[in-house]
């Protein structure tokens, strides 16, 4: 019999009222606290709103999509942001990109490519859960150093979902096997985004800030960046698999009953979609030449899928997990508000000085934890942009290597503790195979332990290659 992790019971009206009341008390309490001089009134109100939203998300008192919309309305109601600024991030280029990337997953599934990918993966890795999951974790992490982690996640998540459905494991039934894989894929993908400069916008951004901070004297090239960061990705891949294996290892030894039939020659729709995918990847790689945002080739791809009739746009919309996309929009909106209101800077000014005078390992870990914390509430690029202008001067005062602090930022902002933290986790969440509570139970220890892996790597590996003394 399949291992059951938990089955979600319908919430009673009494429990909903209690949770909502606790959230409101928390929020009002934060807003009524004496306001520090370096915190703006808007920033304090935002921290109160964050307390409400995060509690409702974590407790799942009401549907998270409804809470997400409440966060946008709350920004306006509490006069933290004007209406235009509060809702604009829901249609920002990053959020629209995620919308289209999730649509890619629907397309892959509907035309049969997801089934074909899974067939070939099982043919290579076998159906033994341990071997398959280890290969999957390393594959997701290493490919995410080059491709966007959301792309890798959407391909693998939608390849695995039909397998679990064929095994009779429906979303929301609490089966541990899909829970394990649906958490492994996004976390392993997210753990690899810092490996090369192609892995995410936060990577070149960190180097740009370092260059400006040092007035052009400190630069790190493309190949040097790979030498410094990529080997650590291998460790994060194995560590991600090991942590999840210990925390939520499924009892199943094999994907029993999975007999995917040979899909045979590719159908016209599969070939057409694959060609559009390849062309879209080429356009993404040429982004520096074209100057196009990631969302532009993605929109062209949707047109390429639907134009020839390989899939209808109505089918994509009918199958699309809208709630997850709205939640991601709310996360971006709150992140922008943290920057605009000064709440993020206030947190940095309060927390980071606590590290002064502490042993180097504590300083690195503390800075890394702060980066992960910020990245859980906003995009990782925004977190890097917020923390480096504060941590780099700190590094100089504490006679630390500014290069190491700059290179640590894209690394540690890859590890998040909330579902809203990055597109890969939102995509996996959209399958319905895990709740936010399930995610937090795994993501928090995963984040804390990967920070240990990264700090140890920085202290051992970086001196070995002569990057820092």
């Amino acid at each position: 019999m399949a291992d059951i992790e938990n089955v979600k019971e319908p919430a009673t009206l009494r429990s909903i009222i209690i949770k909502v009341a606790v959230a409101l008390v928390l929020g009002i309490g934060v807003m009524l606290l004496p306001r520090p001089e370096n915190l703006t009134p808007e920033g304090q109100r935002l921290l109160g709103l964050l307390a409400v939203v995060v509690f409702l998300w974590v407790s799942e008192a009401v549907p998270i999509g409804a809470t997400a919309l409440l966060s946008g309305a709350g920004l306006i109601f509490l006069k933290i942001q004007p209406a235009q600024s509060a809702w604009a991030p829901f249609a920002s280029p990053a959020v629209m990109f995620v919308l289209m990337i999730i649509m890619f997953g629907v397309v892959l599934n509907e035309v049969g490519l997801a089934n074909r990918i899974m067939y070939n993966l099982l043919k290579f890795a076998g159906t033994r859960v341990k071997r398959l999951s280890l290969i999957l974790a390393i594959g997701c992490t290493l490919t995410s150093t080059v491709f966007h982690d959301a792309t890798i996640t959407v391909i693998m998540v939608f390849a695995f979902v039909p397998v679990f459905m064929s095994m009779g494991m429906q979303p929301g039934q609490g089966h541990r096997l899909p829970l394990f894989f649906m958490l492994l894929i996004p976390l392993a993908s997210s753990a690899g985004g810092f490996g090369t400069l192609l892995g995410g916008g936060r990577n070149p951004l960190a180097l740009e800030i370092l260059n400006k901070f040092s007035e052009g004297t400190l630069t790190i090239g493309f190949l040097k960046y790979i030498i410094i960061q990529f080997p650590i990705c291998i460790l994060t891949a194995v560590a991600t698999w090991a942590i999840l294996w210990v925390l939520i290892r499924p009892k199943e030894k094999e994907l029993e009953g999975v007999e995917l039939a040979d899909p045979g020659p590719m159908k016209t729709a599969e070939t057409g979609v694959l060609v559009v995918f390849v062309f879209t990847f080429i356009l993404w790689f040429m982004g520096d030449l074209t100057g196009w945002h990631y969302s532009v080739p993605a929109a062209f791809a949707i047109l390429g899928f639907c134009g020839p009739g390989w899939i209808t746009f109505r089918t994509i919309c009918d199958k699309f997990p809208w709630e997850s996309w709205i939640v991601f929009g709310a996360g971006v909106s709150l992140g922008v508000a943290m920057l605009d209101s000064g709440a993020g800077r206030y947190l940095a000014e309060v927390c980071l000085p606590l590290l002064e005078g502490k042993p180097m390992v504590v300083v690195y870990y503390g800075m890394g934890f702060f980066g992960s914390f910020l990245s859980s509430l906003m995009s990782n690029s925004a977190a890097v942009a917020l923390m480096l202008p504060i941590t780099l001067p700190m590094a100089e005062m504490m006679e630390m290597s500014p290069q190491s602090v700059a290179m640590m930022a894209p690394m540690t902002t890859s590890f998040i503790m909330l579902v809203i933290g990055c597109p890969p986790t939102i995509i996996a969440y959209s399958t319905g195979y895990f709740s936010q509570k399930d995610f937090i139970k795994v993501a928090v220890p995963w984040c804390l332990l990967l920070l240990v892996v990264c700090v140890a790597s920085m202290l051992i590996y970086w001196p070995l290659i002569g990057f820092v003394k």
Side-chain angles (χ1 to χ4, degrees):
M1 182 175 177
D3 189 19
I4 303 294
E5 175 67 5
N6 60 66
V7 178
K8 188 177 179 181
E9 298 289 340
T12 63
L13 179 61
R14 183 170 178 270
S15 71
I16 293 173
I17 292 173
I18 291 174
K19 289 175 181 176
V20 171
V22 170
L24 290 175
V25 168
L26 274 175
I28 293 171
V30 171
M31 291 184 217
L32 292 180
L33 287 172
R35 180 170 61 83
E37 288 184 0
N38 56 344
L39 178 62
T40 64
E42 293 81 7
Q44 184 171 25
R45 293 197 291 273
L46 174 61
L47 293 179
L49 177 62
L50 270 177
V52 174
V53 170
V54 171
F55 184 85
L56 290 178
W57 270 335
V58 173
S59 66
E60 296 182 319
V62 292
I64 64 168
T67 307
L69 293 175
L70 173 68
S71 67
L75 291 174
I76 304 167
F77 177 73
L78 295 171
K79 298 183 179 179
I80 298 167
Q81 294 276 61
Q84 176 101 13
S85 302
W87 294 118
F90 281 79
S92 68
V95 177
M96 294 306 295
F97 173 65
V98 169
L99 177 143
M100 288 178 272
I101 281 289
I102 298 177
M103 286 183 171
F104 279 19
V106 176
V107 174
L108 282 172
N109 198 38
E110 290 299 308
V111 301
L113 272 174
N115 184 60
R116 185 177 295 278
I117 292 169
M118 195 65 205
Y119 173 79
N120 287 294
L121 176 61
L122 292 181
K123 195 175 177 182
F124 171 73
T127 56
R128 297 282 296 174
V129 171
K130 191 172 186 178
R131 171 185 162 85
L132 174 64
S133 59
L134 179 58
I135 291 174
L136 181 69
I138 295 174
C140 286
T141 300
L142 297 189
T143 49
S144 292
T145 64
V146 179
F147 301 109
H148 197 286
D149 51 11
T151 308
I152 303 303
T153 300
V154 81
I155 291 173
M156 297 317 305
V157 161
F158 282 89
F160 268 85
V161 166
V163 172
F164 299 131
M165 298 290 273
S166 70
M167 296 173 71
M169 297 179 178
Q170 304 290 326
Q173 293 182 338
H175 292 290
R176 192 155 178 160
L177 183 67
L179 169 71
F180 171 70
F181 278 100
M182 288 300 112
L183 288 176
L184 179 68
I185 292 169
L187 294 182
S189 300
S190 182
F194 66 91
T196 76
L197 281 174
L198 300 174
R202 61 193 179 283
N203 307 335
L205 177 63
L207 298 189
E208 183 182 336
I209 295 174
L210 174 67
N211 186 262
K212 287 182 179 176
F213 170 76
S214 65
E215 297 180 345
T217 59
L218 297 176
T219 58
I220 296 175
F222 188 89
L223 182 59
K224 186 176 180 182
Y225 183 98
I226 293 175
I227 294 171
I228 295 168
Q229 301 284 66
F230 187 82
I232 301 176
C233 281
I234 299 171
L235 298 178
T236 58
V238 176
T240 295
W241 174 82
I243 292 166
L244 266 66
W245 187 255
V246 170
L247 291 179
I248 52 171
R249 176 177 56 196
K251 285 186 177 177
E252 291 87 347
K253 304 292 184 188
E254 296 232 15
L255 297 182
E256 295 178 355
V258 177
E259 295 180 2
L260 294 180
D262 187 341
M266 291 186 73
K267 302 179 184 68
T268 303
E270 289 180 88
T271 306
V273 167
L274 184 60
V275 169
V276 173
F277 256 118
V278 172
F279 188 63
T280 305
F281 275 123
I282 293 172
L283 288 180
W284 279 336
F285 274 110
M286 294 174 63
D288 288 341
L289 295 176
T290 62
W292 294 347
H293 186 266
Y294 286 147
S295 56
V296 175
F300 287 157
I302 297 294
L303 182 65
F305 300 146
C306 299
W310 295 323
I311 187 170
T312 67
F313 192 67
R314 177 173 291 278
T315 300
I316 296 175
C317 292
D318 288 345
K319 304 280 185 179
F320 189 85
W322 292 100
E323 186 181 56
S324 301
W325 175 67
I326 292 172
V327 171
F328 184 64
V332 175
S333 179
L334 290 170
V336 171
M338 281 192 75
L339 293 173
D340 291 348
S341 68
R345 186 171 186 84
Y346 165 74
L347 291 175
E349 290 175 349
V350 169
C351 297
L352 292 176
L354 299 176
L355 301 173
E356 287 188 44
K358 299 291 188 299
M360 192 63 67
V361 64
V362 176
V363 174
Y364 277 138
Y365 193 89
M367 286 183 175
F369 178 80
F370 188 72
S372 297
F373 171 76
L374 285 180
S375 192
S376 300
L377 297 170
M378 61 179 70
S379 77
N380 41 35
S381 293
V384 168
L386 175 63
M387 67 182 290
L388 275 184
I390 299 168
T391 53
L392 283 174
M394 277 185 61
E396 193 173 51
M397 285 189 296
M398 298 166 71
E399 298 183 351
M400 295 170 60
S401 161
Q403 296 99 315
S404 64
V405 173
M407 294 296 276
M408 182 178 65
M411 184 189 301
T412 57
T413 51
S414 299
F415 316 138
I416 44 91
M417 293 176 273
L418 294 175
V419 167
I420 62 170
C422 67
T425 52
I426 290 290
I427 292 167
Y429 180 78
S430 72
T431 64
Y433 276 111
F434 62 87
S435 67
Q436 296 211 66
K437 283 182 183 174
D438 295 329
F439 182 81
I440 290 172
K441 287 178 185 174
V442 175
V444 171
W446 167 76
C447 176
L448 298 178
L449 290 171
L450 277 198
L451 287 175
V452 172
V453 171
C454 289
V455 170
S457 302
M458 291 163 54
L459 295 174
I460 298 171
Y461 171 64
W462 284 358
L464 285 176
I465 61 173
F467 175 52
V468 294
K469 295 180 181 177

